[in-house]
Amino acid sequence: MTLDEARERYLAAVLEGSRRTAFGVVDEAFRDGIGLRELYLGVFQPAMRDIGRLWQENRITVADEHLATAITQAAMARLYDELFRGGGAAGPLLIAACADTERHELGLRMICDVLEMEGWDTVFLGATVPIEDLVAMVRERRPHVVALSASISPHLPRVRATIDAIREAMPGAAPLIAVGGRAFADDPGLAERLGADLTAADAVQAARLLKERVSV
Ligand code: B12
């Protein structure tokens, strides 16, 4: 199976709402040598973006979108046997959270998974993490990196507030702060203007840039 075929067949399966067919496509692709990074960026990510476009065009319902998201989350989780096969990760620690009221969590999860593959130790908190609680965890665990995600622009002020709160709570000792997600896609200078140290367009680029910036 080629990557193009995998993408097409996976999208058809989630549109049909068949978890079984979707898992079958992923298993076959994996057997044919398509790795986790390719599955994430070449199959799941474009499929979810197509789902968003179809939803926006009123060609599918919110229920269809929820089903596609649930299937994709399950498909990712099934790959964890591969991902976490090695012992405990000894690499740099990263805490990942969706900024405060943000609910789009799949992209951030991909960042964590790709970094886990590269030996990082990641703590994925997912959607809607209250700022105060995130800051408390960051102070306690002292990660090398905090990764914040926002998909829609109304959440950008919450990203800024989170960054400010972390820097205020840990003067001179704040971790590297990375931000990203769809809300940053069209404005290369936005991350810096919000006070972040780094941004990236996708999970593979994020892993590469973080590796350059964090050496342990
Ligand atoms: C699934 C989905 C949802 C689900 C999310 C469920 C979940 N558990 O994640 C639910 C139903 C909750 C949802 C809700 C909403 N959604 Co929605 N959603 C989507 C959809 C279809 C897919 C998102 C996704 O998983 N994408 C795939 C991932 C892999 O891509 P990604 O997020 O971009 O992540 C990559 C990069 O951005 C980057 N990245 C991401 N985070 C980070 C962090 C760091 C630190 C770095 C470096 C990089 C990075 O790396 C990732 C991996 O490569 C998108 C369509 C789309 N184009 O994405 C719409 C979309 C984002 N949603 C949209 C909207 C409008 C909404 C709502 C406002 C709808 C409503 N009226 O309620 C709400 C807002 C909810 C909220 N408070 O956040 C619009 C946004 C339009 C806009 N103008 O910005 C979109 C684009 C759909 C559309 N075309 O209209 N949504």
Side-chain angles (χ1 to χ4, degrees):
M1 191 188 302
T2 65
L3 190 59
D4 284 345
E5 280 162 3
R7 177 167 40 228
E8 271 169 39
R9 285 175 55 189
Y10 183 80
L11 178 63
V14 293
L15 282 172
E16 186 195 324
S18 170
R19 190 159 42 174
R20 198 179 300 273
T21 312
F23 289 177
V25 174
V26 173
D27 289 347
E28 201 181 321
F30 204 69
R31 270 200 308 275
D32 287 351
I34 297 178
L36 188 131
R37 288 180 191 78
E38 290 79 21
L39 278 171
Y40 274 23
L41 292 195
V43 177
F44 300 150
Q45 179 169 295
M48 289 312 296
R49 290 185 177 170
D50 283 341
I51 292 292
R53 186 178 40 76
L54 294 168
W55 169 28
Q56 192 180 21
E57 294 167 358
N58 275 324
R59 289 163 65 192
I60 61 170
T61 66
V62 170
D64 296 324
E65 168 278 313
H66 280 20
L67 183 53
T69 304
I71 291 174
T72 302
Q73 284 174 321
M76 286 167 70
R78 280 177 83 247
L79 295 167
Y80 284 5
D81 273 356
E82 272 321 302
L83 192 61
F84 293 100
R85 183 156 292 170
L93 176 64
L94 173 139
I95 293 183
C98 290
D100 202 20
T101 40
E102 175 65 54
R103 288 176 58 202
H104 299 90
E105 62 184 354
L106 233 77
L108 190 64
R109 185 162 155 186
M110 285 190 184
I111 307 262
C112 289
D113 293 354
V114 169
L115 286 169
E116 282 284 338
M117 274 182 78
E118 302 193 1
W120 287 59
D121 186 7
T122 65
V123 174
F124 171 68
L125 305 178
T128 60
V129 184
I131 295 178
E132 214 180 296
D133 297 355
L134 176 64
V135 171
M137 183 183 277
V138 171
R139 284 183 69 161
E140 192 197 316
R141 296 201 181 206
R142 309 250 155 195
H144 299 85
V145 179
V146 172
L148 302 171
S149 188
S151 286
I152 57 173
S153 42
H155 291 151
L156 290 171
R158 310 311 296 157
V159 175
R160 157 139 250 158
T162 310
I163 295 172
D164 290 349
I166 293 170
R167 297 211 189 284
E168 221 167 89
M170 304 170 77
L176 190 86
I177 301 181
V179 295
R182 204 180 172 280
F184 294 88
D186 300 324
D187 184 349
L190 180 60
E192 201 184 325
R193 293 203 302 281
L194 293 185
D197 299 305
L198 178 152
T199 187
D202 62 45
V204 169
Q205 193 189 36
R208 186 168 48 77
L209 294 178
L210 283 170
K211 209 163 140 192
E212 280 169 21
R213 293 289 293 270
V214 180
S215 51
V216 192

